Amino acid sequence: MPADALPGLGRASRLLRDARRAVALTGAGVSTPSGLPDFRTPGSGLWEHQDPMTVASLLAFRHNPQEFYARLQPLALGFLKAEPNPAHRALSRLESAGRLFGLITQNIDGLHQRAGSVNVVELHGNLRQATCVDCGAVRPSESFAEDFTRSGIIPRCPACGGYLKPNAILMGEQLPWQAIQTAMDWSRTCDLMLVVGSSLEITPAGQLPQLAVRSGARCIIINRLPTYMDERADVVLRRDVAEALPRLAEEVLDG
Ligand code: ZN
């Protein structure tokens, strides 16, 4: 076997080529090659050093928005400055070639859209926008993330002066209902689910591959670490996503 052999790649590309409605599910692992932290990986997981309930909770935001922004803004800036990596671009390429119907993501970084993906469901919201807690106006967040870092003044709604809350879903906050419904619908109706860089430990995202397989879909998993779905998947590629996905896309589109 050559050194760069990727067992399962051939089978995965055949499954993807045969699929008529393939859907991808992505987690933090797809963005770690862009330098973004994984929230739960032992050793480097973000929440190992900070308690999410005190830092990123809705309660913390309501109780002390100044402190909430002070603690989260360096993190948010890192997210806004990150660039898409080859895994994001491979998924976008598959979609524009008609090989991928859409993409469900647990990530809030918006890197899929910046790589060119169009049909994207964001289960945990995003950091691109913020919503006024008083009047509900939605604003782009890019400019005020930098402003806050410079001035320390909390972003306020230009229309009514209310606090702006990032559209990323905070701990203690409901997930967006419409996004969940769409993700479940896609999972029931797809004929292939491609899981990329998700440990599948967080609900409801973690349950979607099970829903897809129960509804008759094939399943491909690309993740460095094992998941509970590995034994039910048709193919598991245990490899870095930024390496495995471009190779899969190449095999499907150019092979
Ligand atoms: Zn407002």
PDB file of all heavy atoms in Angstrom, residues 12 14 18 25 28 35 60-61 72 76 89 95 99 101 103 143 151 157 187 211 230 237 253:
ATOM      1  N   ALA A  12     -16.042   5.461  -0.894  1.00  0.00           N
ATOM      2  CA  ALA A  12     -16.727   6.718  -0.561  1.00  0.00           C
ATOM      3  C   ALA A  12     -17.055   7.499  -1.822  1.00  0.00           C
ATOM      4  O   ALA A  12     -18.163   8.046  -1.966  1.00  0.00           O
ATOM      5  CB  ALA A  12     -15.859   7.559   0.377  1.00  0.00           C
ATOM      6  N   ARG A  14     -17.518   6.350  -4.849  1.00  0.00           N
ATOM      7  CA  ARG A  14     -18.598   5.679  -5.598  1.00  0.00           C
ATOM      8  C   ARG A  14     -19.962   5.981  -4.977  1.00  0.00           C
ATOM      9  O   ARG A  14     -20.923   6.261  -5.678  1.00  0.00           O
ATOM     10  CB  ARG A  14     -18.351   4.162  -5.639  1.00  0.00           C
ATOM     11  CG  ARG A  14     -17.328   3.755  -6.710  1.00  0.00           C
ATOM     12  CD  ARG A  14     -17.309   2.246  -6.912  1.00  0.00           C
ATOM     13  NE  ARG A  14     -16.893   1.503  -5.729  1.00  0.00           N
ATOM     14  CZ  ARG A  14     -15.627   1.310  -5.352  1.00  0.00           C
ATOM     15  NH1 ARG A  14     -14.637   1.820  -6.072  1.00  0.00           N
ATOM     16  NH2 ARG A  14     -15.332   0.614  -4.267  1.00  0.00           N
ATOM     17  N   ASP A  18     -22.992   7.994  -6.808  1.00  0.00           N
ATOM     18  CA  ASP A  18     -24.297   7.349  -7.021  1.00  0.00           C
ATOM     19  C   ASP A  18     -25.444   8.086  -6.336  1.00  0.00           C
ATOM     20  O   ASP A  18     -26.610   7.859  -6.657  1.00  0.00           O
ATOM     21  CB  ASP A  18     -24.280   5.903  -6.508  1.00  0.00           C
ATOM     22  CG  ASP A  18     -23.400   5.013  -7.383  1.00  0.00           C
ATOM     23  OD1 ASP A  18     -23.083   5.449  -8.514  1.00  0.00           O
ATOM     24  OD2 ASP A  18     -23.026   3.913  -6.937  1.00  0.00           O
ATOM     25  N   LEU A  25     -22.999  16.978   6.925  1.00  0.00           N
ATOM     26  CA  LEU A  25     -23.163  17.491   8.292  1.00  0.00           C
ATOM     27  C   LEU A  25     -21.762  17.800   8.801  1.00  0.00           C
ATOM     28  O   LEU A  25     -20.913  16.911   8.846  1.00  0.00           O
ATOM     29  CB  LEU A  25     -23.830  16.429   9.172  1.00  0.00           C
ATOM     30  CG  LEU A  25     -23.867  16.726  10.671  1.00  0.00           C
ATOM     31  CD1 LEU A  25     -24.767  17.916  10.982  1.00  0.00           C
ATOM     32  CD2 LEU A  25     -24.347  15.503  11.457  1.00  0.00           C
ATOM     33  N   ALA A  28     -17.034  21.134  14.375  1.00  0.00           N
ATOM     34  CA  ALA A  28     -15.853  21.964  14.627  1.00  0.00           C
ATOM     35  C   ALA A  28     -14.611  21.469  13.887  1.00  0.00           C
ATOM     36  O   ALA A  28     -13.763  22.266  13.490  1.00  0.00           O
ATOM     37  CB  ALA A  28     -15.574  22.028  16.124  1.00  0.00           C
ATOM     38  N   GLY A  35      -7.489  27.067  11.998  1.00  0.00           N
ATOM     39  CA  GLY A  35      -6.939  27.640  13.220  1.00  0.00           C
ATOM     40  C   GLY A  35      -7.977  27.939  14.285  1.00  0.00           C
ATOM     41  O   GLY A  35      -7.675  28.579  15.291  1.00  0.00           O
ATOM     42  N   ALA A  60     -25.444  35.163  31.326  1.00  0.00           N
ATOM     43  CA  ALA A  60     -24.272  36.037  31.468  1.00  0.00           C
ATOM     44  C   ALA A  60     -24.444  37.296  30.633  1.00  0.00           C
ATOM     45  O   ALA A  60     -24.100  38.397  31.059  1.00  0.00           O
ATOM     46  CB  ALA A  60     -23.004  35.300  31.051  1.00  0.00           C
ATOM     47  N   PHE A  61     -25.015  37.140  29.441  1.00  0.00           N
ATOM     48  CA  PHE A  61     -25.230  38.294  28.571  1.00  0.00           C
ATOM     49  C   PHE A  61     -26.219  39.268  29.208  1.00  0.00           C
ATOM     50  O   PHE A  61     -26.006  40.471  29.244  1.00  0.00           O
ATOM     51  CB  PHE A  61     -25.736  37.842  27.195  1.00  0.00           C
ATOM     52  CG  PHE A  61     -26.053  38.981  26.280  1.00  0.00           C
ATOM     53  CD1 PHE A  61     -25.043  39.679  25.646  1.00  0.00           C
ATOM     54  CD2 PHE A  61     -27.369  39.375  26.064  1.00  0.00           C
ATOM     55  CE1 PHE A  61     -25.327  40.745  24.806  1.00  0.00           C
ATOM     56  CE2 PHE A  61     -27.661  40.436  25.225  1.00  0.00           C
ATOM     57  CZ  PHE A  61     -26.637  41.126  24.598  1.00  0.00           C
ATOM     58  N   LEU A  72     -15.741  37.447  25.438  1.00  0.00           N
ATOM     59  CA  LEU A  72     -15.974  36.716  24.185  1.00  0.00           C
ATOM     60  C   LEU A  72     -15.398  37.387  22.940  1.00  0.00           C
ATOM     61  O   LEU A  72     -15.210  36.757  21.924  1.00  0.00           O
ATOM     62  CB  LEU A  72     -17.466  36.490  23.969  1.00  0.00           C
ATOM     63  CG  LEU A  72     -18.052  35.276  24.667  1.00  0.00           C
ATOM     64  CD1 LEU A  72     -19.458  35.029  24.153  1.00  0.00           C
ATOM     65  CD2 LEU A  72     -17.209  34.023  24.452  1.00  0.00           C
ATOM     66  N   ALA A  76     -14.378  36.009  19.264  1.00  0.00           N
ATOM     67  CA  ALA A  76     -15.174  36.358  18.087  1.00  0.00           C
ATOM     68  C   ALA A  76     -14.290  36.934  16.989  1.00  0.00           C
ATOM     69  O   ALA A  76     -14.471  36.635  15.808  1.00  0.00           O
ATOM     70  CB  ALA A  76     -16.256  37.362  18.470  1.00  0.00           C
ATOM     71  N   ARG A  89     -13.569  24.346   0.973  1.00  0.00           N
ATOM     72  CA  ARG A  89     -13.604  24.559  -0.484  1.00  0.00           C
ATOM     73  C   ARG A  89     -14.051  23.299  -1.223  1.00  0.00           C
ATOM     74  O   ARG A  89     -14.774  23.390  -2.218  1.00  0.00           O
ATOM     75  CB  ARG A  89     -12.229  25.043  -0.975  1.00  0.00           C
ATOM     76  CG  ARG A  89     -11.959  26.495  -0.571  1.00  0.00           C
ATOM     77  CD  ARG A  89     -10.789  27.089  -1.334  1.00  0.00           C
ATOM     78  NE  ARG A  89      -9.514  26.555  -0.876  1.00  0.00           N
ATOM     79  CZ  ARG A  89      -8.819  27.060   0.146  1.00  0.00           C
ATOM     80  NH1 ARG A  89      -9.265  28.104   0.806  1.00  0.00           N
ATOM     81  NH2 ARG A  89      -7.681  26.520   0.503  1.00  0.00           N
ATOM     82  N   GLU A  95     -20.921  20.983  -4.000  1.00  0.00           N
ATOM     83  CA  GLU A  95     -22.265  21.559  -4.123  1.00  0.00           C
ATOM     84  C   GLU A  95     -22.456  22.209  -5.495  1.00  0.00           C
ATOM     85  O   GLU A  95     -23.465  21.970  -6.158  1.00  0.00           O
ATOM     86  CB  GLU A  95     -22.523  22.589  -3.009  1.00  0.00           C
ATOM     87  CG  GLU A  95     -23.961  23.125  -3.041  1.00  0.00           C
ATOM     88  CD  GLU A  95     -24.199  24.294  -2.085  1.00  0.00           C
ATOM     89  OE1 GLU A  95     -23.284  24.669  -1.331  1.00  0.00           O
ATOM     90  OE2 GLU A  95     -25.321  24.838  -2.127  1.00  0.00           O
ATOM     91  N   ARG A  99     -23.210  17.661  -6.750  1.00  0.00           N
ATOM     92  CA  ARG A  99     -22.999  16.396  -6.042  1.00  0.00           C
ATOM     93  C   ARG A  99     -23.423  16.460  -4.585  1.00  0.00           C
ATOM     94  O   ARG A  99     -23.444  15.445  -3.887  1.00  0.00           O
ATOM     95  CB  ARG A  99     -21.522  15.985  -6.103  1.00  0.00           C
ATOM     96  CG  ARG A  99     -21.047  15.646  -7.494  1.00  0.00           C
ATOM     97  CD  ARG A  99     -21.731  14.388  -7.973  1.00  0.00           C
ATOM     98  NE  ARG A  99     -21.260  13.990  -9.286  1.00  0.00           N
ATOM     99  CZ  ARG A  99     -21.736  12.943  -9.952  1.00  0.00           C
ATOM    100  NH1 ARG A  99     -22.702  12.221  -9.426  1.00  0.00           N
ATOM    101  NH2 ARG A  99     -21.262  12.638 -11.132  1.00  0.00           N
ATOM    102  N   PHE A 101     -26.434  18.274  -2.169  1.00  0.00           N
ATOM    103  CA  PHE A 101     -27.650  19.081  -2.150  1.00  0.00           C
ATOM    104  C   PHE A 101     -27.505  20.259  -1.196  1.00  0.00           C
ATOM    105  O   PHE A 101     -27.896  21.386  -1.494  1.00  0.00           O
ATOM    106  CB  PHE A 101     -28.832  18.206  -1.740  1.00  0.00           C
ATOM    107  CG  PHE A 101     -30.069  18.986  -1.416  1.00  0.00           C
ATOM    108  CD1 PHE A 101     -30.824  19.553  -2.431  1.00  0.00           C
ATOM    109  CD2 PHE A 101     -30.457  19.177  -0.101  1.00  0.00           C
ATOM    110  CE1 PHE A 101     -31.954  20.298  -2.126  1.00  0.00           C
ATOM    111  CE2 PHE A 101     -31.589  19.922   0.210  1.00  0.00           C
ATOM    112  CZ  PHE A 101     -32.344  20.480  -0.808  1.00  0.00           C
ATOM    113  N   LEU A 103     -25.852  21.510   3.099  1.00  0.00           N
ATOM    114  CA  LEU A 103     -24.900  21.311   4.169  1.00  0.00           C
ATOM    115  C   LEU A 103     -25.512  21.794   5.491  1.00  0.00           C
ATOM    116  O   LEU A 103     -26.045  22.899   5.565  1.00  0.00           O
ATOM    117  CB  LEU A 103     -23.693  22.153   3.778  1.00  0.00           C
ATOM    118  CG  LEU A 103     -22.354  22.045   4.423  1.00  0.00           C
ATOM    119  CD1 LEU A 103     -21.314  22.535   3.429  1.00  0.00           C
ATOM    120  CD2 LEU A 103     -22.318  22.898   5.658  1.00  0.00           C
ATOM    121  N   SER A 143     -18.208  45.004  11.792  1.00  0.00           N
ATOM    122  CA  SER A 143     -17.609  46.280  12.160  1.00  0.00           C
ATOM    123  C   SER A 143     -17.572  46.469  13.672  1.00  0.00           C
ATOM    124  O   SER A 143     -16.570  46.890  14.223  1.00  0.00           O
ATOM    125  CB  SER A 143     -18.386  47.421  11.512  1.00  0.00           C
ATOM    126  OG  SER A 143     -19.732  47.366  11.943  1.00  0.00           O
ATOM    127  N   SER A 151     -12.481  50.178  21.538  1.00  0.00           N
ATOM    128  CA  SER A 151     -13.049  51.177  22.447  1.00  0.00           C
ATOM    129  C   SER A 151     -13.559  50.602  23.762  1.00  0.00           C
ATOM    130  O   SER A 151     -13.660  51.312  24.756  1.00  0.00           O
ATOM    131  CB  SER A 151     -14.211  51.885  21.748  1.00  0.00           C
ATOM    132  OG  SER A 151     -15.283  50.964  21.570  1.00  0.00           O
ATOM    133  N   CYS A 157     -27.802  49.014  19.451  1.00  0.00           N
ATOM    134  CA  CYS A 157     -28.640  49.134  18.261  1.00  0.00           C
ATOM    135  C   CYS A 157     -28.703  50.599  17.809  1.00  0.00           C
ATOM    136  O   CYS A 157     -29.037  51.479  18.599  1.00  0.00           O
ATOM    137  CB  CYS A 157     -30.037  48.633  18.606  1.00  0.00           C
ATOM    138  SG  CYS A 157     -31.247  48.881  17.317  1.00  0.00           S
ATOM    139  N   SER A 187     -32.375  15.311   6.619  1.00  0.00           N
ATOM    140  CA  SER A 187     -31.832  14.033   7.090  1.00  0.00           C
ATOM    141  C   SER A 187     -32.763  12.883   6.722  1.00  0.00           C
ATOM    142  O   SER A 187     -32.319  11.789   6.389  1.00  0.00           O
ATOM    143  CB  SER A 187     -31.619  14.061   8.604  1.00  0.00           C
ATOM    144  OG  SER A 187     -30.734  15.111   8.943  1.00  0.00           O
ATOM    145  N   LEU A 211     -30.881   9.389  12.094  1.00  0.00           N
ATOM    146  CA  LEU A 211     -32.168   9.630  11.429  1.00  0.00           C
ATOM    147  C   LEU A 211     -32.047   9.334   9.928  1.00  0.00           C
ATOM    148  O   LEU A 211     -32.920   8.696   9.328  1.00  0.00           O
ATOM    149  CB  LEU A 211     -32.589  11.086  11.658  1.00  0.00           C
ATOM    150  CG  LEU A 211     -33.915  11.559  11.076  1.00  0.00           C
ATOM    151  CD1 LEU A 211     -35.074  10.755  11.610  1.00  0.00           C
ATOM    152  CD2 LEU A 211     -34.118  13.052  11.385  1.00  0.00           C
ATOM    153  N   ASP A 230     -19.854   5.092  13.772  1.00  0.00           N
ATOM    154  CA  ASP A 230     -18.864   4.427  12.907  1.00  0.00           C
ATOM    155  C   ASP A 230     -19.320   3.042  12.459  1.00  0.00           C
ATOM    156  O   ASP A 230     -19.167   2.684  11.291  1.00  0.00           O
ATOM    157  CB  ASP A 230     -17.510   4.316  13.616  1.00  0.00           C
ATOM    158  CG  ASP A 230     -16.785   5.661  13.652  1.00  0.00           C
ATOM    159  OD1 ASP A 230     -17.407   6.674  13.278  1.00  0.00           O
ATOM    160  OD2 ASP A 230     -15.614   5.691  14.071  1.00  0.00           O
ATOM    161  N   LEU A 237     -13.580   7.364   7.046  1.00  0.00           N
ATOM    162  CA  LEU A 237     -12.222   7.808   6.713  1.00  0.00           C
ATOM    163  C   LEU A 237     -11.663   8.514   7.941  1.00  0.00           C
ATOM    164  O   LEU A 237     -12.077   9.626   8.266  1.00  0.00           O
ATOM    165  CB  LEU A 237     -12.225   8.769   5.513  1.00  0.00           C
ATOM    166  CG  LEU A 237     -12.869   8.277   4.207  1.00  0.00           C
ATOM    167  CD1 LEU A 237     -12.823   9.369   3.146  1.00  0.00           C
ATOM    168  CD2 LEU A 237     -12.150   7.032   3.699  1.00  0.00           C
ATOM    169  N   LEU A 253     -15.269  14.214  -8.770  1.00  0.00           N
ATOM    170  CA  LEU A 253     -15.479  15.169  -9.861  1.00  0.00           C
ATOM    171  C   LEU A 253     -14.532  14.977 -11.025  1.00  0.00           C
ATOM    172  O   LEU A 253     -14.888  15.250 -12.171  1.00  0.00           O
ATOM    173  CB  LEU A 253     -15.363  16.602  -9.326  1.00  0.00           C
ATOM    174  CG  LEU A 253     -16.333  16.957  -8.190  1.00  0.00           C
ATOM    175  CD1 LEU A 253     -16.041  18.341  -7.640  1.00  0.00           C
ATOM    176  CD2 LEU A 253     -17.771  16.868  -8.657  1.00  0.00           C
TER     177      LEU A 253
END
